[in-house]
Amino acid sequence: MDARRPPRAVIDPKVRTVGFFTPPDPIQFDSNSLSPVMIPPPCHSSENLDLHSPPSVTPPSGDESVSVTGSYNGSSSELFPAPMSPALSQKIVAGDGGVGGGIVASSFPRGGGVPVCKLTTVSVVNTDSFAFDERDKPNKGGGSSMEVKDQAMNSKQKNEKSSKAERRALQEAQRAAKAEGNKATGTVTSGNLKSAKATKPPQKVDNTSVAASEKKGVDRPSEKDRKKDVPHPRMQYDDKSRVEKAKRRAVVNHTESRNRVELFRHLPQYEHGSQLPDLEAKFFQLEPVHPSVYKVGLQYLSGDISGGNARCIAMLQAFQDAIKDYTVPPEKTLVRDLTAKISSYVSFLIECRPLSISMGNAIRFLKSQIAKLPLTLSESESKTSLQSDIERFIYEKIILADKVIVEHAVTKIRDGDVLLTYGSSSAVEMILLRAHELGKQFQVVVVDSRPSLKGKLLLRRLVEKGLTCTYTHINAVSFIMHEVTRVFLGASSVLSNGTVYSGVGTASVAMVAHAFHVPVIVCCEAFKFHERVQLDSICSNELGDPDVISKVSGRGDVNHLDAWANAENLQLLNLIYDATPSDYVSIIVTDYGMIPPTSVPVVVREYSREQVWI
Amino acid sequence: MLFLLMYLFIDLDASKIEGSQATAKQAAELLRSVISQQRLPQTHQATALISAVRAVGEKLIAANPVELAVGNIVRRVLHIIREEDLSLATAAIDGLELSAVSDDEDDVERDDYPVLSAAAVAAAARSTLRPPSLQTLLEDTPISAAIPHTSSSGGDSEGKSRSVDKSSRGRKLKHDVIEAVNELIQDISTCYEQIAEQAVEHIHQNEVILTLGSSKTVLEFLCAAKEKKRSFKVFVAEGAPRYQGHLLAKELAARGLQTTVITDSAVFAMISRVNMVIVGAHAVMANGGVIAPVGLNMVALAAQRHAVPFVVLAGSHKLCPLYPHNPEVLLNELRSPSELLDFGEFSDCMDSASGGSLHVVNPTFDYVPPKLVSLFITDTGGHNPSYMYRLIADYYSADDLVVKRRPATTS
């Protein structure tokens, strides 16, 4: 390392020669600009570049480096002189200040010998053309993203084959130049503007110390955007006035359960069983709710549909039906009316069962799609476009994502493994079945817990497929953990601080696995990621029917709590979810690949932007 | 007696006796009757008693080796016999020494010595186990010196007084031992109260306490604090697969405590709001590890994660002088799968299964390593896990640690 470091410092300016080898060549920036977004790698990628390039590239452009660096300063304004609004240029400056801090301020005019400066300026400038696209759709392999990937690989190979790399770089530069030309002809659209904004938050997150200086740099719109991005505070059910309001709106007649647990007053807790007949009776009165939405709502309520993916797909399909049957009322616009309609459906569904985070994400996607409908589109066109959007969401985000996850996760299963899973996760089930199909020899331990006993259903499906299974309850998990080599868990959501929000008990299993040094692999589709953060399982959760706790299925002898509601000091608590701290999780398998829990915020940010851009 | 013995065997086998306290008590009562019916020879009475107790004890332990309380009681009784014998012997030797030193001493005074309460002498003998104080080091040399002589001590004394002494000693020994065993039984049955007395020191106003499953000790402990006008909340995890937590919750609620039943899976979710975990134990090993109802290892780990004190309540009959080796397997018991799956529930897919198979694991106990335990509360007070070995040395003699093998080698 020491041997490699010094040259970097010395030759650093020359790197720019690589970047500016052919003057309108932002692709080099691109590869750099990619770095500040991916938080940890940036130094590396730039470092690599710096390391590899000098020996090959410097000689031809030895003196050019000076001139280029000189022009560099200009280039930032020269490359996009016309399209850039004053606000944008201001933003660029702000960006510099944001990341480079004082160093940048001083070094920038001089042509910047400090790599950090180069990175940041570049990132801001280039988002206009490329950086954004490629980061956005890393797996869609668009032209530019491929190039960047090549570039990255290139830079790695340069060590050995510098000449080849050089040629490649040239090629790419030309290609990029072409692309650049295309883009440059078009004016900078609002999208570009947005993209510039969008790249900001990461920088700010990176070094909060500089956040203040960035604020000074007049960054109003992005600031606003960011504020909008912050998830709304959830409804707190111990806030009486709001609960009253909600009740007035409510369609479903809830009776609040007695004997509520003090700690969970902020969550809705209703007596179960009373709503269903009530709702059924109301079917013909409830005009505004579309029948398929109504059906799904009832299925949620009765527990016929459970599991994150199933619920999400059912909801989306119901919305699809609703959109198909939808007609714009006279003197109303589709965008507004449909959004309101969807909102009313959603609130109906919430009354049936609180939304899961993945469903929230799906709804957000749908609403953004509606909002983005061009006004020029006719009613039927927009309806079909929305339907196909939903279709695509289901296919790409859920079905295809699961396939990708399975392919990734299967590589983690070896012959002779003993895999433990908790509850029933559709992704984990697919992984196990796929591994079995591939002929891997392994055993499965299914851990289950009351009251849902979903593990039994999973166990049945696995045993029917011929897998070797062991079944046990959650208390025995530390007994069985000695024999386990991997733990596969599903998740309802992954929050941006790395917390895995999943069915209750997951945290305990992950904790025991951690204590026994068994790797914990969480499988979760990226559309379930959420930017919310949570430290414990109490602030946000869902309460199930407490009655199911008092009855133990198949055990008539356990009947001590039959009349629990009459005992005034006794409460039963049926939590649905819990939050697994990120340090218990070894790896999260998503459709974007296998990432550590610390990388979740990156995926959340990238992904949510993609959702807008889809 | 045989009747009783058979009865206990059957009970142990079927695990009918609930809780180690009841088992311990029954075992002690059984051994008491063994002792009282044992006919003692003229010489080596203690050895005879010990071998008799050992023979029964071995069978008792074999009936259910996982029920450590039985072994503990057997060892306790053996220890009592040794102590009583020792105390008698030391008393006799003291008397002899006294008579040897001063011939002109009265017989009256000599007779006084055996009358000395055995307990006092036993306490003195026990003190030899304790780290010797400076005073005992300086003054009390004869006691420790006398110990090796005990077996042969009878031979030294005068012929005339010997037979008288012997017969009285024989009766005395049996009597004393039975007395001491009675005390032990008394101790076992009152250990709840003694532990519960300490509740106020540990439970404060507005605390939130978590427990798993059901334990009479825990129930009494919590209620004792409640009676002292402390108001606090209790979370009870139900404790699959036996769901004893339901029972405990019902009892607690009936006694006026704010009780919330949670599922076992919610323990981790709730532990962040808990001030203290208080649980019962099945047995406490010499290293401070705990054999506890299944699920407690998980609770202990969660408590450690959130720095919540993990307190184990254990009567002294649960202190086991053995060090555990692979206790999760060797000191465990797998219960019936029917507690998890209904009979025949999976028979349909087992028939058609293409090579698939299904096992059900349903263990009874968990091992909680000493590093996860914050405190033991026994009837003698609170102790650190690292101190348990020392506490155990007070109750058991080192010769009895292995009950089983000794008779096998002698016979």
Side-chain angles (χ1 to χ4, degrees):
Chain A
M1 272 308 267
D2 286 343
R4 296 159 86 193
R5 276 259 165 82
R8 181 184 72 137
V10 177
I11 312 175
D12 201 22
K14 289 174 193 163
V15 174
R16 207 150 285 118
T17 61
V18 183
F20 286 86
F21 199 60
T22 46
D25 173 19
I27 195 75
Q28 275 310 340
F29 294 137
D30 258 355
S31 69
N32 289 340
S33 74
L34 194 130
S35 30
V37 180
M38 291 153 49
I39 299 158
C43 307
H44 283 293
S45 67
S46 70
E47 193 177 71
N48 284 347
L49 258 175
D50 298 347
L51 285 178
H52 314 316
S53 39
S56 60
V57 191
T58 37
S61 58
D63 57 342
E64 212 178 271
S65 76
V66 183
S67 69
V68 167
T69 41
S71 77
Y72 173 70
N73 200 350
S75 78
S76 65
S77 57
E78 194 182 279
L79 274 175
F80 316 95
M84 246 193 297
S85 62
L88 187 60
S89 59
Q90 244 172 342
K91 230 168 278 153
I92 291 169
V93 177
D96 293 342
V99 178
I103 311 167
V104 177
S106 61
S107 61
F108 187 64
R110 271 183 268 123
V114 188
V116 181
C117 142
K118 172 192 75 194
L119 284 177
T120 56
T121 47
V122 161
S123 80
V124 175
V125 171
N126 276 293
T127 40
D128 291 3
S129 52
F130 293 109
F132 183 61
D133 295 16
E134 90 216 0
R135 259 172 286 125
D136 245 5
K137 304 174 181 174
N139 61 346
K140 285 194 184 150
S144 57
S145 79
M146 287 305 284
E147 277 169 20
V148 173
K149 264 183 204 161
D150 285 357
Q151 185 84 11
M153 272 168 31
N154 232 353
S155 57
K156 269 173 209 157
Q157 291 168 350
K158 268 180 190 168
N159 255 341
E160 303 97 31
K161 313 174 181 178
S162 57
S163 64
K164 191 180 173 189
E166 200 183 340
R167 257 180 285 137
R168 256 275 190 55
L170 243 170
Q171 253 179 2
E172 255 144 33
Q174 282 159 359
R175 229 183 298 167
K178 243 185 252 169
E180 163 71 15
N182 289 346
K183 287 252 166 123
T185 52
T187 50
V188 179
T189 59
S190 62
N192 288 345
L193 267 172
K194 257 190 206 164
S195 73
K197 280 175 236 153
T199 38
K200 285 281 169 54
Q203 294 169 352
K204 192 176 184 186
V205 170
D206 276 355
N207 27 359
T208 44
S209 61
V210 210
S213 75
E214 196 189 351
K215 257 180 205 161
K216 265 183 254 156
V218 195
D219 204 2
R220 285 276 161 66
S222 89
E223 188 87 347
K224 228 181 198 175
D225 267 14
R226 230 177 295 139
K227 267 182 192 155
K228 231 187 270 171
D229 279 351
V230 172
H232 292 287
R234 274 160 286 203
M235 165 111 174
Q236 301 293 311
Y237 282 77
D238 48 355
D239 182 350
K240 271 188 192 144
S241 61
R242 293 198 60 189
V243 170
E244 281 304 313
K245 264 185 221 163
K247 260 190 189 164
R248 255 176 274 138
R249 285 199 309 267
V251 186
V252 186
N253 214 2
H254 288 300
T255 26
E256 275 189 21
S257 60
R258 285 167 290 173
N259 293 12
R260 293 177 60 176
V261 181
E262 193 59 39
L263 206 53
F264 289 96
R265 288 221 174 260
H266 61 288
L267 299 176
Q269 189 168 38
Y270 300 119
E271 235 161 61
H272 286 245
S274 61
Q275 307 105 310
L276 197 58
D278 195 50
L279 259 183
E280 273 164 356
K282 269 193 191 161
F283 178 71
F284 293 104
Q285 304 160 22
L286 292 174
E287 188 251 326
V289 179
H290 188 274
S292 1
V293 178
Y294 197 84
K295 183 178 145 204
V296 170
L298 289 186
Q299 280 171 327
Y300 287 170
L301 196 58
S302 62
D304 287 346
I305 298 182
S306 61
N309 287 350
R311 276 170 73 194
C312 198
I313 291 176
M315 180 190 72
L316 284 173
Q317 280 168 346
F319 285 163
Q320 223 175 347
D321 285 353
I323 288 171
K324 201 165 84 186
D325 297 344
Y326 170 80
T327 47
V328 185
E331 293 174 18
K332 282 193 178 167
T333 55
L334 179 134
V335 173
R336 290 205 175 178
D337 191 56
L338 189 58
T339 313
K341 205 106 196 173
I342 297 285
S343 299
S344 76
Y345 294 161
V346 168
S347 59
F348 167 76
L349 291 179
I350 291 176
E351 280 169 35
C352 294
R353 192 184 158 181
L355 293 183
S356 69
I357 289 177
S358 56
M359 289 160 74
N361 282 345
I363 290 165
R364 204 159 57 160
F365 161 77
L366 181 59
K367 283 191 176 168
S368 78
Q369 288 302 312
I370 295 174
K372 264 191 308 182
L373 283 175
L375 290 170
T376 52
L377 237 55
S378 75
E379 187 182 323
S380 61
E381 277 171 340
S382 32
K383 271 164 65 180
T384 45
S385 112
L386 282 180
Q387 284 177 44
S388 69
D389 279 340
I390 293 177
E391 193 80 17
R392 207 178 38 177
F393 186 88
I394 294 176
Y395 181 69
E396 276 181 12
K397 297 297 164 204
I398 303 178
I399 296 172
L400 210 59
D402 275 336
K403 277 186 188 154
V404 176
I405 289 175
V406 167
E407 288 314 311
H408 280 308
V410 156
T411 61
K412 296 287 168 215
I413 300 178
R414 292 175 304 193
D415 279 350
D417 265 348
V418 180
L419 312 175
L420 184 141
T421 181
Y422 174 72
S424 171
S425 154
S426 55
V428 172
E429 183 181 348
M430 279 187 270
I431 292 164
L432 298 176
L433 292 178
R434 175 84 183 125
H436 185 65
E437 263 173 39
L438 291 175
K440 300 200 176 183
Q441 299 296 316
F442 59 93
Q443 291 178 40
V444 182
V445 179
V446 179
V447 179
D448 207 352
S449 81
R450 286 217 325 128
S452 60
L453 292 178
K454 281 187 200 147
K456 251 184 211 178
L457 306 173
L458 174 71
L459 180 72
R460 175 169 289 273
R461 292 192 292 265
L462 292 180
V463 171
E464 275 169 357
K465 287 272 161 54
L467 276 77
T468 309
C469 295
T470 304
Y471 180 75
T472 190
H473 56 87
I474 188 162
N475 276 344
V477 71
S478 50
F479 174 84
I480 203 84
M481 197 57 82
H482 292 277
E483 301 160 24
V484 173
T485 55
R486 299 250 189 298
V487 175
F488 280 88
L489 297 173
S492 167
S493 176
V494 178
L495 308 178
S496 91
N497 60 344
T499 301
V500 174
Y501 188 68
S502 186
V504 67
T506 307
S508 304
V509 173
M511 172 186 68
V512 174
H514 182 77
F516 284 82
H517 307 292
V518 179
V520 176
I521 299 166
V522 172
C523 308
C524 184
E525 299 86 353
F527 84 100
K528 293 180 178 171
F529 286 28
H530 200 277
E531 70 261 28
R532 216 183 275 280
V533 289
Q534 203 172 323
L535 288 173
D536 61 17
S537 321
I538 290 167
C539 294
S540 155
N541 213 316
E542 187 185 332
L543 298 181
D545 181 6
D547 276 325
V548 295
I549 292 192
S550 63
K551 296 180 203 89
V552 182
S553 66
R555 295 283 296 279
D557 53 322
V558 185
N559 54 2
H560 312 293
L561 295 178
D562 279 351
W564 67 276
N566 299 326
E568 75 182 290
N569 292 320
L570 188 61
Q571 297 114 15
L572 306 192
L573 177 67
N574 183 6
L575 278 185
I576 303 288
Y577 294 110
D578 68 8
T580 309
S582 61
D583 49 344
Y584 291 155
V585 178
S586 319
I587 194 174
I588 298 175
V589 185
T590 77
D591 27 341
Y592 292 139
M594 296 181 268
I595 57 170
T598 46
S599 297
V600 172
V602 179
V603 171
V604 167
R605 204 180 50 240
E606 301 305 301
Y607 176 76
S608 63
R609 204 179 317 136
E610 181 188 336
Q611 216 172 37
V612 177
W613 280 75
I614 202 163
Chain B
M1 179 209 117
L2 246 173
F3 219 82
L4 191 63
L5 197 63
M6 293 300 291
Y7 207 66
L8 188 63
F9 285 162
I10 293 164
D11 279 357
L12 281 174
D13 267 338
S15 299
K16 257 187 209 155
I17 303 178
E18 280 296 323
S20 40
Q21 195 238 9
T23 324
K25 210 165 154 187
Q26 281 213 17
E29 277 162 8
L30 177 80
L31 290 176
R32 185 180 60 188
S33 65
V34 167
I35 291 165
S36 66
Q37 289 176 31
Q38 183 69 34
R39 298 185 58 190
L40 291 182
Q42 283 297 308
T43 51
H44 304 298
Q45 293 169 329
T47 355
L49 257 188
I50 285 173
S51 64
V53 169
R54 221 177 213 161
V56 176
E58 192 192 348
K59 281 179 200 156
L60 279 178
I61 292 169
N64 188 352
V66 179
E67 187 53 75
L68 293 166
V70 175
N72 297 345
I73 292 304
V74 171
R75 292 189 185 96
R76 285 283 288 272
V77 170
L78 289 174
H79 183 60
I80 285 168
I81 297 169
R82 280 176 207 278
E83 270 195 351
E84 294 299 333
D85 184 41
L86 182 69
S87 71
L88 283 180
T90 45
I93 285 170
D94 279 0
L96 284 175
E97 275 174 353
L98 269 175
S99 65
V101 171
S102 53
D103 283 327
D104 46 1
E105 282 280 340
D106 279 318
D107 275 16
V108 186
E109 204 176 332
R110 217 175 112 187
D111 285 343
D112 271 349
Y113 270 90
V115 184
L116 251 176
S117 80
V121 185
R126 198 181 290 164
S127 76
T128 58
L129 285 163
R130 299 231 169 82
S133 75
L134 208 56
Q135 194 169 7
T136 49
L137 276 178
L138 287 171
E139 291 177 2
D140 263 4
T141 36
I143 292 181
S144 50
I147 292 169
H149 294 296
T150 43
S151 54
S152 57
S153 63
D156 299 337
S157 55
E158 265 180 276
K160 189 188 82 180
S161 64
R162 192 168 79 189
S163 60
V164 181
D165 194 34
K166 264 280 164 68
S167 58
S168 71
R169 254 186 78 192
R171 264 180 280 119
K172 190 101 189 86
L173 177 70
K174 204 156 146 180
H175 179 256
D176 286 353
V177 166
I178 288 175
E179 277 296 295
V181 172
N182 277 337
E183 242 168 64
L184 174 67
I185 294 172
Q186 192 67 27
D187 273 356
I188 293 170
S189 42
T190 59
C191 74
Y192 294 144
E193 292 143 41
Q194 280 167 337
I195 294 174
E197 270 174 20
Q198 305 166 50
V200 239
E201 290 176 32
H202 298 282
I203 298 177
H204 281 263
Q205 200 72 13
N206 288 333
E207 283 210 274
V208 181
I209 286 162
L210 184 135
T211 182
L212 181 137
S214 176
S215 154
K216 185 139 191 281
T217 326
V218 173
L219 176 70
E220 295 296 331
F221 192 80
L222 295 177
C223 291
K226 170 73 185 167
E227 277 159 22
K228 291 279 177 355
K229 305 291 176 216
R230 295 273 155 84
S231 78
F232 52 94
K233 288 181 203 142
V234 185
F235 285 119
V236 182
E238 50 187 12
R242 297 177 66 202
Y243 306 108
Q244 293 274 303
H246 291 188
L247 198 63
L248 179 72
K250 197 180 171 192
E251 288 269 334
L252 286 174
R255 300 215 197 173
L257 273 165
Q258 274 296 331
T259 312
T260 305
V261 180
I262 60 173
T263 52
D264 300 319
S265 45
V267 163
F268 187 88
M270 299 308 297
I271 199 108
S272 59
R273 297 295 187 277
V274 167
N275 297 123
M276 200 194 286
V277 179
I278 297 180
V279 294
H282 175 69
V284 178
M285 307 309 285
N287 65 346
V290 184
I291 308 289
V294 69
L296 275 183
N297 189 30
M298 192 176 75
V299 177
L301 283 169
Q304 190 199 35
R305 161 87 189 185
H306 292 272
V308 177
F310 187 84
V311 177
V312 177
L313 308 183
S316 60
H317 60 275
K318 291 186 179 174
L319 304 182
C320 180
L322 303 177
Y323 285 84
H325 167 66
N326 200 3
E328 290 93 339
V329 178
L330 297 181
L331 291 177
N332 214 331
E333 190 178 4
L334 291 178
R335 296 166 67 90
S336 158
S338 69
E339 289 179 330
L340 297 184
L341 297 177
D342 288 336
F343 179 74
E345 200 178 349
F346 273 76
S347 51
D348 50 331
C349 38
M350 295 315 293
D351 294 336
S352 62
S354 48
S357 66
L358 173 61
H359 304 273
V360 176
V361 177
N362 184 15
T364 316
F365 301 117
D366 241 356
Y367 174 68
V368 182
K371 63 173 182 184
L372 297 181
V373 180
S374 315
L375 187 69
F376 284 104
I377 298 179
T378 69
D379 35 10
T380 58
H383 302 288
N384 219 32
S386 57
Y387 182 71
M388 294 320 279
Y389 83 98
R390 198 63 202 73
L391 201 62
I392 278 160
D394 288 352
Y395 292 116
Y396 305 98
S397 73
D399 302 338
D400 301 325
L401 290 188
V402 185
V403 179
K404 222 180 279 175
R405 204 178 301 155
R406 208 55 74 80
T409 48
T410 49
S411 64

